[in-house]
């Protein structure tokens, strides 16, 4: 997994491994924040499931692949609460090396799908509209993961050093799936 992600920090790799992320299913990692939003209130309704499957298709994940199989497990059984934290730690590192346009694209994809799931009609209607407090907490966690952008721009103004903890292989694979 370390080689696929281009990441050497065991503090980030170990939680991903604990959550079932492996080299062959690492593509499912892009779905982690969406799954976390859907399960935030500890239930997954039909509309949220529909949006997750739609996102799986939109993001180019084959349901028969190892990543698709992991997503199927996440749809059947609520993943551990650490999923969003493990994803956020990885994304913070990834954002440190992405170009601004790539980072913005990833942020937009994740945020738009996450909000779509949080605004699922069935649950929103039942609770008077909008995301629940639990969903808002996950949405906030997603935004925090992308805050490294502001930190990076500040550092770039004072230093030209780029972190080398993470290569861009995973992101480039993601981009190839969407071009």
């Amino acid at each position: 997994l370390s080689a696929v992600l281009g990441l050497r920090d065991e503090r980030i790799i170990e939680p991903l491994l604990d959550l079932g992320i492996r080299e062959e299913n690492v593509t499912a990692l892009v779905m982690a924040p969406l799954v976390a939003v859907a399960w935030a209130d500890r239930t997954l309704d039909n509309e949220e499931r529909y949006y997750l499957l739609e996102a799986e298709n939109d993001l180019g994940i084959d349901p028969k692949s190892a990543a698709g199989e992991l997503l199927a497990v996440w749809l059947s059984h609520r993943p551990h609460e650490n999923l969003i934290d493990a994803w956020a730690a990885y994304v913070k590192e990834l954002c440190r090396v992405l170009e601004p346009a790539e980072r913005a694209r990833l942020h937009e994809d994740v945020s738009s799908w996450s909000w779509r799931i949080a605004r699922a009609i069935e649950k929103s209607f039942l609770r008077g509209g909008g995301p629940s407090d639990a969903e808002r907490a996950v949405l906030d966690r997603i935004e925090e993961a992308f805050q490294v952008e502001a930190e990076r721009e500040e550092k770039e103004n004072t230093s030209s050093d780029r972190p080398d903890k993470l290569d861009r292989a995973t992101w480039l694979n993601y981009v190839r799936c969407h071009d």
Side-chain angles (χ1 to χ4, degrees), residues 91-111 145-153 156 162 171 174-175:
V91 166
K92 276 187 177 240
E93 287 300 313
L94 181 62
C95 285
R96 292 181 198 282
V97 297
L98 291 178
E99 296 299 323
E102 296 168 333
R103 192 174 53 246
R105 182 175 178 182
L106 177 61
H107 187 188
E108 174 60 28
D109 282 351
V110 170
S111 293
F146 288 101
Q147 290 306 312
V148 77
E149 177 178 341
E151 296 169 16
R152 176 183 172 197
E153 289 171 0
E156 285 179 350
R162 278 183 72 138
W171 172 248
Y174 173 80
V175 169

Side-chain angles (χ1 to χ4, degrees), residues 59-147:
L59 296 170
I61 298 173
D62 181 352
K64 295 177 184 170
S65 69
E69 290 173 5
L70 180 58
L71 180 60
V73 170
W74 289 344
L75 291 174
S76 299
H77 306 286
R78 186 172 60 88
H80 194 277
E81 294 168 356
N82 290 347
L83 180 64
I84 191 64
D85 295 327
W87 171 86
Y90 167 67
V91 166
K92 276 187 177 240
E93 287 300 313
L94 181 62
C95 285
R96 292 181 198 282
V97 297
L98 291 178
E99 296 299 323
E102 296 168 333
R103 192 174 53 246
R105 182 175 178 182
L106 177 61
H107 187 188
E108 174 60 28
D109 282 351
V110 170
S111 293
S112 65
W113 275 111
S114 297
W115 273 97
R116 191 175 309 168
I117 291 165
R119 291 184 177 130
I121 300 293
E122 288 180 39
K123 288 184 180 175
S124 293
F125 179 74
L126 293 174
R127 65 177 169 244
S132 68
D133 290 343
E135 289 167 334
R136 281 200 181 278
V138 175
L139 292 166
D140 289 346
R141 188 71 179 103
I142 292 167
E143 289 305 310
E144 287 172 18
F146 288 101
Q147 290 306 312

